Amino acid sequence: MKLFLDTSDIDVLREYIKTGVIDGVTTNPSNLSKAGNQPRKRIEEITTLFKHGDVSVEVTEQDPAAMYKQALEIAALAPNVVVKIPCHADYYPVIHRLAQEGINMNITLVFTVAQALMMCKLGVRYISPFVGRWDEIDVDGIALLHELRAMVDNYGFSTMILAASLRHVRHLNGAINAGADVATLPPEVFVKALAHPLTDRGIERFNADWAKLGIRQFP
Ligand code: G3P
């Protein structure tokens, strides 16, 4: 399973890449806007930092023709860029054309197994089901991940399931158990997932017991 960070914050990315478990990055118009101006420069920095991993960059144009052109420009930014496009009916022809041209895509804002199936048929690299936004309206978002896993495996599609909109560690655990290919995590969820209070308590106990020996050097 791959883990991506769901952020455009360079300092955060620089810090957490050191853990060795981050395989890529997902950006979106919201986190790029939060990170400040010069989004292009920021994207270039991120793609350099994660040159061996995929970096999703979302289109901002809404007109399909303009979106197609922008998608090609985004794809040309770096070899590891994956173009993110919302799963909207108007954009199917754009996605179809880009897929035929070999552009790697991450289709975002996927909420149903039917939408996901159609994107798999178009041959996109990733589909991003939004777990937390389902949960927000009291629908089990993790259940969708299980449906998607069964659908992709049943039909033998090569599209990867990228669990997105994960709001807490319970969502990450759910994505792991559902067999998602990737989970993208906001930094605050990633940090929480690294540790556990019982691990901390266990270390304290080991340290306290060891101190009773009163030796300075070991081994
Ligand atoms: O990157 C897209 C997705 O993960 C956004 O999550 O928390 O805004 O629903 P959220």
Side-chain angles (χ1 to χ4, degrees), residues 2-22:
K2 288 186 191 291
L3 291 180
F4 291 175
L5 277 180
D6 202 17
T7 182
S8 298
D9 187 322
I10 304 275
D11 293 337
V12 163
L13 290 170
R14 271 192 215 292
E15 185 57 30
Y16 295 147
I17 197 172
K18 295 179 198 160
T19 60
V21 293
I22 303 298

Side-chain angles (χ1 to χ4, degrees), residues 1-5 17 20-25 50-55 126 181-183:
M1 185 195 207
K2 288 186 191 291
L3 291 180
F4 291 175
L5 277 180
I17 197 172
V21 293
I22 303 298
D23 304 292
V25 181
F50 282 85
K51 55 176 172 294
H52 301 300
D54 283 348
V55 176
Y126 299 107
D181 299 290
V182 189

Side-chain angles (χ1 to χ4, degrees), residues 5-7 26-28 30-31 58 84 106 108-109 111 128-134 136 162-167 184-186:
L5 277 180
D6 202 17
T7 182
T26 51
T27 67
N28 61 39
S30 301
N31 65 33
E58 192 159 338
K84 210 168 173 188
N106 170 4
T108 188
L109 292 161
F111 288 92
S128 287
F130 270 37
V131 173
R133 297 207 192 172
W134 261 136
E136 261 175 35
L162 193 169
S165 183
L166 303 179
R167 307 274 174 81
T184 189
L185 300 171

Side-chain angles (χ1 to χ4, degrees), residues 112-131:
T112 68
V113 71
Q115 282 181 306
L117 176 109
M118 292 184 218
M119 291 303 130
C120 290
K121 281 173 68 72
L122 293 180
V124 304
R125 187 170 173 83
Y126 299 107
I127 41 172
S128 287
F130 270 37
V131 173

Side-chain angles (χ1 to χ4, degrees), residues 161-206:
I161 301 165
L162 193 169
S165 183
L166 303 179
R167 307 274 174 81
H168 39 69
V169 179
R170 203 155 28 91
H171 276 156
L172 172 61
N173 291 337
I176 296 166
N177 292 332
D181 299 290
V182 189
T184 189
L185 300 171
E188 51 288 2
V189 176
F190 175 68
V191 172
K192 283 188 188 147
L194 294 175
H196 194 275
L198 286 178
T199 307
D200 299 345
R201 215 186 295 166
I203 291 170
E204 277 166 28
R205 199 183 295 176
F206 285 143

